Amino acid sequence: MVGKITHSVELIKELKEMARQLRVDVVEMVHRRGAGHPGGSLSPAEIIAALFFHHLHIDPDRPEWETRDHFILSKGHACSILYAALARRGYFPIEELKTWGDIGGRLQGHPDRLKTPGVEMTTGCLGHGISIGAGLCLAGQLKRLDYHTYVLVGDGECQSGILWEGAMLAGKYKLSKLTAIMDYNEVQLDGRVEDIMPLEPVKKKWESFNWAILEIDGHNMEEVLDSLDKACGINDRPTVIIAHTIKGKGVSFMEGKAAWHGRAPNDDELKQAVEELRKNG
Ligand SMILES: Cc1ncc(C[n+]2csc(CCOP(=O)(O)OP(=O)(O)O)c2C)c(N)n1
């Protein structure tokens, strides 16, 4: 493991502000479209901000650049925050966020690799990101390309069998350039993850598939940045960052509520959500 790298106060402030902005984008986008998944899009805002605005080696002018880092949003239903990050990072105009979900548009209801610059994998059918991420790592080894692959998975998603098949393969081949980030917000589509299908002891599960484990508060920007750096320093295994988060984070009436997994705020709810996000960050 690499030693602790200290991140500057300015960087932390800038990234926290970006996470806040991305959350505002999410609630506005879901409201405008009248559909979407606010809860699971709000929970990984710090992780997405840290990746797209600091950690990833990417270039919006060259989305297919061969040695770029790859980010896969395996929990594809949370794509509003991915689109917001891609737009703000310069992959397409911020104005285009207003076209999310339009028939024939570039920003589909779930991510489509063939339509949106910066989207690395078509997702929405849960569970497949780790397998594809592992494949990208193996391809990188064969081609001798030095890139890292990151996969954001949901905790509900970790209930799907195919995810563990990918995890087993990544463990077998010691794919140290693969980092999974588990958005552990404890709530699934219509209830609590532990009630629907218990995951615990989840650390032991990943460990038994030969992954290195890091565990963080997913809303603490310093911890997010440190864990991403540490994962890069682990050279003998893939790493999972278990990020404890709150579903709907930042909007009081959405926090921790399965009811806000897949519904849009009305006009009044949007107003309150944006006010809270502007005030509290
Ligand atoms: C294979 C598959 N099964 C079921 C679904 C329906 N589905 C969409 S989101 C979701 C819940 C996912 O929960 P989680 O991974 O915890 O996401 P988050 O709470 O972070 O939004 C389900 C079951 C799906 N998209 N794909």
Side-chain angles (χ1 to χ4, degrees):
M1 273 199 203
V2 290
K4 187 170 157 52
I5 295 164
T6 312
H7 300 279
S8 73
V9 177
E10 293 77 32
L11 176 70
I12 307 269
K13 200 173 153 214
E14 212 176 280
L15 292 175
K16 279 184 176 172
E17 169 54 21
M18 182 53 71
R20 190 196 61 75
Q21 177 62 62
L22 295 177
R23 287 194 169 100
V24 172
D25 290 337
V26 164
V27 290
E28 288 184 345
M29 286 169 70
V30 177
H31 170 262
R32 190 183 303 109
R33 184 177 161 219
H37 298 84
S41 305
L42 293 170
S43 55
E46 283 79 10
I47 295 160
I48 296 285
L51 283 167
F52 279 87
F53 295 88
H54 176 68
H55 190 83
L56 292 178
H57 293 110
I58 48 174
D59 180 356
D61 294 328
R62 293 180 294 163
E64 299 291 321
W65 172 38
E66 248 198 333
T67 47
R68 71 191 182 282
D69 286 343
H70 296 68
F71 171 78
I72 292 173
L73 182 70
S74 193
K75 42 172 260 180
H77 58 278
C79 60
S80 54
I81 193 150
L82 173 62
Y83 293 151
L86 289 172
R88 293 199 176 272
R89 188 68 174 73
Y91 282 83
F92 48 82
I94 292 170
E95 241 343 78
E96 198 169 337
L97 293 177
K98 292 185 180 153
T99 69
W100 179 34
D102 285 1
I103 292 172
R106 293 202 293 181
L107 309 183
Q108 287 301 294
H110 284 71
D112 185 332
R113 159 152 181 73
L114 300 179
K115 287 201 165 62
T116 316
V119 167
E120 295 283 2
M121 178 182 164
T122 297
T123 50
C125 182
L126 294 167
H128 298 272
I130 302 273
S131 301
I132 301 285
L136 284 167
C137 289
L138 288 169
Q141 284 179 5
L142 283 172
K143 294 181 177 173
R144 298 186 194 285
L145 294 174
D146 189 26
Y147 57 74
H148 206 104
T149 300
Y150 298 85
V151 184
L152 183 69
V153 298
D155 49 0
E157 184 180 7
C158 291
Q159 295 165 326
S160 56
I162 184 69
L163 180 139
W164 297 104
E165 194 174 327
M168 188 159 42
L169 180 128
K172 170 180 172 170
Y173 289 106
K174 303 183 170 39
L175 300 178
S176 60
K177 296 220 164 134
L178 181 64
T179 300
I181 303 151
M182 182 180 162
D183 183 6
Y184 202 171
N185 62 30
E186 297 182 21
V187 179
Q188 226 245 44
L189 182 150
D190 58 357
R192 297 191 61 77
V193 168
E194 278 310 281
D195 296 334
I196 292 166
M197 180 60 73
L199 280 179
E200 292 297 341
V202 77
K203 271 204 282 187
K204 286 194 180 156
K205 286 191 175 61
W206 287 104
E207 260 161 15
S208 70
F209 282 78
N210 297 318
W211 285 57
I213 318 291
L214 300 170
E215 195 169 15
I216 61 164
D217 169 355
H219 299 309
N220 182 316
M221 190 58 83
E222 280 153 291
E223 289 189 26
V224 173
L225 291 168
D226 286 350
S227 66
L228 291 169
D229 287 340
K230 277 187 190 149
C232 287
I234 297 171
N235 296 317
D236 58 349
R237 284 165 296 168
T239 299
V240 59
I241 299 171
I242 298 176
H244 294 278
T245 59
I246 296 169
K247 191 147 171 162
K249 171 74 177 169
V251 179
S252 60
F253 57 91
M254 292 186 185
E255 287 193 358
K257 302 235 168 59
W260 285 97
H261 172 78
R263 73 161 265 216
N266 62 29
D267 293 351
D268 290 340
E269 288 162 342
L270 174 72
K271 192 163 170 274
Q272 188 185 333
V274 172
E275 269 169 19
E276 286 186 17
L277 289 168
R278 294 240 151 92
K279 204 164 60 190
N280 303 325

